[in-house]
Amino acid sequence: HVQLVESGGGSVQAGGSLRLSCTHSGYTSSRHCMAWFRQAPGKEREAITSITTYSGTSYADSVKGRFTISRDNAKNTLYLEMNSLKPEDTAMYYCAMRTEPRASGLYCGCTVSNGVLCNWGQGTQVTVS
């Protein structure tokens, strides 16, 4: 059974930085595409970035140039480095892991059918004022 646990969220002023972490267990992480999503109050969940098993990355236009996704497979940890934060970045941030090994797709396929192809963490709150 896979578990994903996000951490690193908090409150920060506009222009500041945060680094989110997602520690996972239950799978050999190097075999799985992983992604970060976010959801602001009253809005739909938004895919913001993903990283494949070959370390290929994708970014939503809203975060491109400001956010960086990375992974440390030896530590079973996914990271999201967030710089130049804006108030509109305020949201709950979730990490997701594609269940099927070596599968890919847009944002790891985690946007398909309300995310049923992926495992999800509980989220970490980011507030930018």
Side-chain angles (χ1 to χ4, degrees), residues 73-88:
N73 292 328
K75 295 182 178 180
N76 282 347
T77 302
L78 178 73
Y79 300 102
L80 181 64
E81 186 75 35
M82 305 187 296
N83 298 313
S84 302
L85 283 162
K86 305 174 181 180
E88 51 263 44

Side-chain angles (χ1 to χ4, degrees), residues 25-38:
S25 60
Y27 279 97
T28 302
S29 62
S30 61
R31 299 178 183 175
H32 296 267
C33 187
M34 298 193 71
W36 287 98
F37 286 68
R38 67 185 181 186

Side-chain angles (χ1 to χ4, degrees), residues 100-126:
E100 180 182 353
R102 307 200 185 282
S104 59
L106 183 64
Y107 298 111
C108 304
C110 295
T111 59
V112 175
S113 300
N114 203 30
V116 297
L117 299 178
C118 299
N119 290 292
W120 298 83
Q122 293 300 307
T124 185
Q125 178 67 37
V126 172

